[in-house]
Amino acid sequence: MNLKTLAVATAIVTSLASTANAADQTQTSQAIKNVVLVHGGFVDGSGWQKVYNILKKNGYNVSIVQNPTTSLADDVAVTKRTIARQDGGVVLVGHSYGGAVISEAGTDPKVQRLVYIAAFAPDAGESVQSLTSNPAPGAPVPPILAPQDGFLFLDRAKFAASFAGDVPSDEAGFMADSQVPWGLQAAGGAITVPAWKSKPSWYLVATDDRMIPPPVQRMMAQRAGATVSEAPGSHAIYVSQPEVVAKIIEQAAHGQK
């Protein structure tokens, strides 16, 4: 090969590489616009309102799942119906038990990224119940009352301190008095194929959480290979600090590590 031919070949290879890199950068920079928010146990989707408002203002198409929290299978089915209504790729977000729901529902082909907000991220065969059955010595114990007809509630008098310590007292009181019954079949529902094993994930650790101890959150986030952020906040950080929560969701939407 003479020098002229070599120069031409080198120019072609360089051009192809530049085109490929440009395509990769374009793909990375294109934000996913569909966000689906999944609530956890004892609450409903209305707690996402402040996060919803921020994301909508910033141009995202936001849907909120209203889980019946009767069983993991039912909640996954409801979540998948919401995913099916989206017109493209989805950032799937779960808080608390909602993390178990998105771990199971997130294998849906439309789901491209997962976000865990102070959430459970169970592995195959694990459930929220199995992950909480042996708390570490000294770890806070959620004030869950004995089951009633197959459903769980938190002690209303202790709800604010355990679940919503940084939420205004009147709002925390409303949350305590409007609890949604959480089914034993939801808490005990085991994950089959966790989506975080095949989808990129982001995790926000609430460092003042008294429902899911922060060390447990960090363990699950590390195991999932998630991009991790931490912020001081209660288990209800999605209510008390919506800007922080919206920021990590937008980070995921842009694929920023």
Side-chain angles (χ1 to χ4, degrees):
M1 181 181 292
N2 59 39
L3 291 177
K4 183 177 180 180
T5 303
L6 179 61
V8 171
T10 301
I12 292 172
V13 171
T14 302
S15 176
L16 290 172
S18 298
T19 301
N21 288 337
D24 287 344
Q25 290 172 2
T26 299
Q27 185 176 9
T28 301
S29 64
Q30 290 177 343
I32 298 171
K33 288 298 183 181
N34 298 310
V35 177
V36 174
L37 305 174
V38 183
H39 67 83
F42 306 118
V43 294
D44 66 12
S46 64
W48 287 113
Q49 184 172 5
K50 296 172 188 175
V51 173
Y52 168 91
N53 290 342
I54 295 170
L55 294 174
K56 288 288 287 186
K57 182 180 179 181
N58 292 343
Y60 292 89
N61 172 37
V62 188
S63 300
I64 298 176
V65 177
Q66 288 288 9
N67 285 324
T69 61
T70 50
S71 72
L72 178 63
D74 287 344
D75 295 336
V76 168
V78 171
T79 299
K80 285 190 171 184
R81 285 197 288 272
T82 303
I83 293 168
R85 295 199 301 269
Q86 309 307 307
D87 61 1
V90 171
V91 178
L92 187 59
V93 184
H95 169 254
S96 192
Y97 158 72
V101 177
I102 72 169
S103 294
E104 186 76 4
T107 54
D108 186 287
K110 282 189 175 182
V111 176
Q112 296 185 19
R113 292 159 197 166
L114 305 165
V115 180
Y116 293 85
I117 306 298
F120 291 98
D123 203 344
E126 292 180 342
S127 65
V128 171
Q129 187 176 46
S130 69
L131 285 169
T132 57
S133 59
N134 294 302
V141 178
I144 300 176
L145 301 173
Q148 299 178 12
D149 299 322
F151 290 90
L152 300 169
F153 290 89
L154 291 177
D155 185 332
R156 289 191 295 180
K158 300 176 181 178
F159 183 98
S162 293
F163 195 104
D166 56 353
V167 175
S169 59
D170 57 343
E171 191 172 1
F174 178 81
M175 292 171 68
D177 290 336
S178 62
Q179 288 183 62
V180 178
W182 187 26
L184 290 174
Q185 292 183 53
I191 302 300
T192 56
V193 180
W196 50 259
K197 288 194 172 181
S198 59
K199 310 284 176 81
S201 60
W202 283 254
Y203 197 110
L204 177 61
V205 176
T207 60
D208 300 323
D209 199 324
R210 298 189 62 80
M211 293 290 293
I212 307 176
V216 176
Q217 294 183 40
R218 295 185 186 106
M219 178 277 292
M220 292 185 290
Q222 182 178 14
R223 182 175 66 176
T227 298
V228 182
S229 299
E230 299 199 4
S234 72
H235 191 58
I237 192 169
Y238 69 114
V239 177
S240 62
Q241 297 192 58
E243 297 86 359
V244 172
V245 173
K247 181 178 179 180
I248 192 171
I249 294 171
E250 294 196 58
Q251 182 183 349
H254 286 272
Q256 297 172 348
K257 295 292 187 176

